Amino acid sequence: MAAIGIENLVKAYGATPVIHGVSLAVRDGEFAVLVGPSGCGKSTLLRMIAGLESVTGGEIRIGDRLVNDLPPRERDIAMVFQDYALYPHKSVAENIGFGLKMRGADAATIDRKVQEAAQILQIGHLLGRKPGQLSGGQRQRVAMGRAIVREPKVFLFDEPLSNLDAHLRAEMRAEIKKVHQRFGTTIIYVTHDQVEAMTLADRIAILRGGHLEQFDTPDTIYRRPVSTFVAGFVGSPAMNFIAATAAPDGAGVRLPGGVDLAAPEPLRQRIAGVAGKAVTMGLRPEHIGLHAGGGPAVPGRVLLVEPLGAETLALVRIGDVEATGRFSPESGLRPGADIALGLQLDRAHVFDPDTGRTLTAPA
């Protein structure tokens, strides 16, 4: 196992930069996830760590070694790709053991490690088959087995589940988590799926346009996002962003349509420095529901209802603002109905409307 240190990493293709001075410190044995929209640079960053892309500037260290100029085979890493990269003419056992064979391991060692990996991944009954006879989930297990037998210092995963359906993705997430818990090997995992990131990671690095937006635990990123980008990217449904104005005396906020909301003490503290100014208020759907006492009722109208079984999502209008809330499936919401809403404004975030950066966030 090994820690990974990335310092002021830069990647440019000609005069076009795609990674802009990213710094990350991944701890030994940590499961770190790189996440962001398509084109944000997460796969490029992973390929630089693997040695598959050259470094334009900055440093990459695996353990105590500077690896900028080392070829992939000398970095003691194993990589699992989106497309499995299996040899179609070789059996599952041969695919899993191929890397060991190329390193000169004897047949007994190869067989023992292949059997151990197959047992861990529950594919022992598939060892004699060819990749073309396997499902997508089975192929991905074989690719993982090939990585496991090498016993590397670092596992690198590049969107390994994107070709699988929702059920298999959930199943394979659990398998990957089990592998990490069993071996404790440092993992860097790339995905565009924020659910994968939240469920797998010890810490998440959110990238945007080649810049690092935030690197922290899933809970901190969800509860204390540093920007509207992070806040909107993490969470489903996404956080509601509401253009508002902080009252001149800091006692509340005004929403479009002339709706005045009194601010509870936590929110008063957050808007104290921007009294009388425009702000972007962020409120997650779970903080919008039916009024149940304990605060002022806010008039709203139901625009759209989405029953999901365990909960109901509803798009509601508050003044001139449309926002999504989470409701009990027993709430009986109907489009067009006028309802009394309860807004947990003590959980509201406040962002700068020009920069998108957080001004203050709930504790």
Side-chain angles (χ1 to χ4, degrees):
M1 295 186 294
I4 299 175
I6 297 170
E7 189 69 29
N8 295 321
L9 198 63
V10 175
K11 175 64 180 179
Y13 295 104
T16 305
V18 294
I19 300 291
H20 306 266
V22 169
S23 295
L24 288 172
V26 179
R27 295 185 284 260
D28 187 6
E30 187 170 32
F31 197 131
V33 175
L34 310 180
V35 68
S38 297
C40 71
K42 55 189 183 294
S43 288
T44 299
L45 181 57
L46 191 78
R47 290 174 63 84
M48 292 168 74
I49 296 169
L52 301 175
E53 291 279 357
S54 62
V55 173
T56 304
E59 294 184 347
I60 302 173
R61 292 183 180 275
I62 298 178
D64 57 1
R65 289 199 307 165
L66 180 66
V67 300
N68 285 34
D69 299 319
L70 290 181
R73 65 180 179 275
E74 295 182 19
R75 299 193 183 200
D76 202 3
I77 56 97
M79 195 161 181
V80 179
F81 297 93
Q82 173 182 341
D83 61 359
Y84 320 129
L86 303 178
Y87 295 104
H89 61 287
K90 294 182 181 295
S91 69
V92 166
E94 290 170 332
N95 267 283
I96 294 175
F98 184 75
L100 295 176
K101 183 178 180 180
M102 291 297 98
R103 291 186 171 194
D106 60 80
T109 299
I110 294 172
D111 182 66
R112 175 176 56 81
K113 290 191 174 184
V114 168
Q115 293 293 334
E116 288 174 353
Q119 181 181 10
I120 291 167
L121 296 168
Q122 302 176 45
I123 54 174
H125 61 294
L126 303 176
L127 291 176
R129 297 187 189 180
K130 300 291 178 61
Q133 299 172 294
L134 306 179
S135 68
Q138 290 169 338
R139 292 181 195 180
Q140 196 55 273
R141 288 173 191 264
V142 175
M144 288 173 58
R146 183 178 52 195
I148 287 170
V149 296
R150 293 181 54 190
E151 299 179 356
K153 289 182 178 178
V154 178
F155 287 125
L156 303 178
F157 288 84
D158 190 8
E159 302 211 43
L161 309 184
S162 60
N163 289 337
L164 306 181
D165 61 34
H167 175 75
L168 278 175
R169 282 202 303 273
E171 184 177 296
M172 289 304 301
R173 281 202 304 268
E175 291 300 323
I176 291 170
K177 195 73 171 178
K178 288 177 185 176
V179 166
H180 181 248
Q181 290 172 348
R182 176 164 182 150
F183 293 99
T185 307
T186 307
I187 291 178
I188 299 184
Y189 184 105
V190 163
T191 181
H192 65 276
D193 185 335
Q194 54 103 1
V195 173
E196 278 183 32
M198 295 292 284
T199 55
L200 288 173
D202 294 321
R203 286 193 293 168
I204 300 171
I206 297 184
L207 296 169
R208 180 189 188 190
H211 295 272
L212 178 65
E213 285 275 318
Q214 189 169 359
F215 183 41
D216 218 317
T217 65
D219 184 70
T220 298
I221 281 177
Y222 188 80
R223 298 183 184 280
R224 298 184 64 82
V226 300
S227 66
T228 52
F229 176 80
V230 173
F233 190 83
V234 174
S236 181
M239 181 182 286
N240 297 291
F241 295 115
I242 301 169
T245 303
D249 60 359
V253 293
R254 169 166 285 197
L255 307 188
V259 176
D260 291 311
L261 303 175
E265 185 56 33
L267 182 56
R268 288 192 183 199
Q269 294 177 12
R270 291 172 212 139
I271 62 175
V274 291
K277 297 181 180 179
V279 297
T280 297
M281 188 171 72
L283 204 58
R284 291 210 179 271
E286 57 264 36
H287 301 140
I288 300 175
L290 291 177
H291 183 254
V298 179
R301 172 164 290 188
V302 179
L303 302 178
L304 181 68
V305 177
E306 296 182 78
L308 298 178
E311 66 179 3
T312 294
L313 302 178
L315 183 67
V316 297
R317 177 176 286 128
I318 308 166
D320 290 342
V321 172
E322 293 183 3
T324 298
R326 293 185 189 271
F327 300 85
S328 164
E330 288 78 33
S331 57
L333 298 182
R334 295 289 183 271
D338 292 320
I339 57 175
L341 292 168
L343 308 182
Q344 297 179 38
L345 295 180
D346 58 322
R347 305 303 304 160
H349 298 252
V350 183
F351 301 95
D352 185 305
D354 296 320
T355 66
R357 307 302 290 182
T358 185
L359 296 173
T360 49

